[in-house]
Amino acid sequence: AVVSTQSTGSCATPIAEIMTSDPNFSIPPELKTALAGTILLDTINLDLKQGRTTQLDLDMFHKCNIPRDFDLYNELIAAKTDISTLSVFDLLRRDYKMFTSREGSIVCIASITGANWEQYSSLSDLELQTNKFLSEFGVSVLVVMLAHHDSNGVFSRYLVLGKGSSVIELDELMSELQLEKIQTADSSVRVFSQRNLKASRKVVMPLIKSQLT
């Protein structure tokens, strides 16, 4: 097995590196498009100012021979953030990471792009669909990260600490993520606006994992 320990903005970058380094393997055009598109999404269109893009991300994107333009990136963003046909169950299982705590509990951090807290909390059958996800995946602790672009292109993040999340201590998270509490009618969840917009799950997950493992 090939193991990569390099820090990159996109998980697709080391995959592209492995594929392009093999002289006996020719990457199919559709796979090049998929790799390049994932790199664009993960690095916010290879924008160096966002602090995610590494030189390896740039190199591997260019090796895919896909033109970089805002039309392609905007098309990808539109497709990624269109959640109109997805249930809460589908949204949670579409993009999540799990780990096992020291007590043996399954901790899940799901990432949902395309909804702010107000929109997410008003989704149909939220509690029912969430419980279905927890049951089917055996999750004891649920954290949901929301990311949203409004009609003016303004980006925002929200952190939702759901079932079992009382085991997560807030002090470090509040500081690192610049969290501001949002008052909710549902006492079973703790909801925060996240002012540190650069802190994706790659930042949040190690913070939580260090507490629980």
Side-chain angles (χ1 to χ4, degrees), residues 158-179:
Y158 302 84
L159 187 70
V160 182
L161 303 180
K163 179 190 175 183
S165 63
S166 59
V167 298
I168 299 173
E169 297 180 3
L170 286 177
D171 289 348
E172 186 179 19
L173 293 181
M174 294 289 287
S175 173
E176 293 289 335
L177 306 180
Q178 301 172 29
L179 300 179

Side-chain angles (χ1 to χ4, degrees), residues 12-80:
T13 295
I15 297 173
E17 183 184 29
I18 293 169
M19 290 182 172
T20 57
S21 64
D22 185 349
N24 298 316
F25 181 71
S26 178
I27 305 179
E30 60 272 18
L31 183 52
K32 285 185 177 181
T33 301
L35 288 169
T38 303
I39 293 172
L40 284 181
L41 284 172
D42 288 344
T43 62
I44 313 179
N45 205 32
L46 297 172
D47 186 349
L48 296 174
K49 293 183 293 184
Q50 299 297 327
R52 295 190 189 181
T53 307
T54 66
Q55 186 59 50
L56 190 58
D57 292 307
L58 291 167
D59 293 343
M60 291 304 104
F61 176 81
H62 292 306
K63 281 196 174 184
C64 290
N65 296 318
I66 303 296
R68 175 191 171 196
D69 59 61
F70 280 100
D71 288 341
L72 173 59
Y73 176 71
N74 289 335
E75 183 179 340
L76 291 169
I77 282 291
K80 182 179 180 180

Side-chain angles (χ1 to χ4, degrees), residues 4-212:
S4 175
T5 59
Q6 295 186 74
S7 177
T8 59
S10 174
C11 59
T13 295
I15 297 173
E17 183 184 29
I18 293 169
M19 290 182 172
T20 57
S21 64
D22 185 349
N24 298 316
F25 181 71
S26 178
I27 305 179
E30 60 272 18
L31 183 52
K32 285 185 177 181
T33 301
L35 288 169
T38 303
I39 293 172
L40 284 181
L41 284 172
D42 288 344
T43 62
I44 313 179
N45 205 32
L46 297 172
D47 186 349
L48 296 174
K49 293 183 293 184
Q50 299 297 327
R52 295 190 189 181
T53 307
T54 66
Q55 186 59 50
L56 190 58
D57 292 307
L58 291 167
D59 293 343
M60 291 304 104
F61 176 81
H62 292 306
K63 281 196 174 184
C64 290
N65 296 318
I66 303 296
R68 175 191 171 196
D69 59 61
F70 280 100
D71 288 341
L72 173 59
Y73 176 71
N74 289 335
E75 183 179 340
L76 291 169
I77 282 291
K80 182 179 180 180
T81 58
D82 182 7
I83 63 173
S84 59
T85 61
L86 298 175
S87 68
V88 172
F89 176 80
D90 290 330
L91 289 171
L92 292 171
R93 69 174 180 166
R94 183 171 70 165
D95 184 5
Y96 67 87
K97 302 287 186 184
M98 291 183 178
F99 66 88
T100 303
S101 73
R102 68 175 70 92
E103 284 79 20
S105 300
I106 301 299
V107 181
C108 175
I109 304 179
S111 179
I112 298 175
T113 301
N116 57 26
W117 166 246
E118 183 179 356
Q119 293 167 327
Y120 179 71
S121 62
S122 63
L123 290 174
S124 177
D125 296 324
L126 178 61
E127 183 176 2
L128 178 66
Q129 292 282 315
T130 300
N131 288 336
K132 177 184 177 182
F133 175 81
L134 296 173
S135 176
E136 291 197 12
F137 287 82
V139 173
S140 298
V141 180
L142 178 64
V143 177
V144 180
M145 298 187 66
L146 304 174
H148 178 256
H149 287 87
D150 68 15
S151 58
N152 296 315
V154 178
F155 183 63
S156 57
R157 287 188 181 276
Y158 302 84
L159 187 70
V160 182
L161 303 180
K163 179 190 175 183
S165 63
S166 59
V167 298
I168 299 173
E169 297 180 3
L170 286 177
D171 289 348
E172 186 179 19
L173 293 181
M174 294 289 287
S175 173
E176 293 289 335
L177 306 180
Q178 301 172 29
L179 300 179
E180 295 182 4
K181 188 171 179 58
I182 297 175
Q183 298 299 324
T184 67
D186 186 353
S187 60
S188 67
V189 298
R190 291 178 290 174
V191 183
F192 303 87
S193 173
Q194 180 181 317
R195 299 306 182 190
N196 182 356
L197 299 179
K198 291 183 179 181
S200 65
R201 187 169 53 198
K202 289 183 179 180
V203 173
V204 175
M205 186 166 180
L207 292 174
I208 295 177
K209 197 172 183 179
S210 66
Q211 292 187 24
L212 304 181

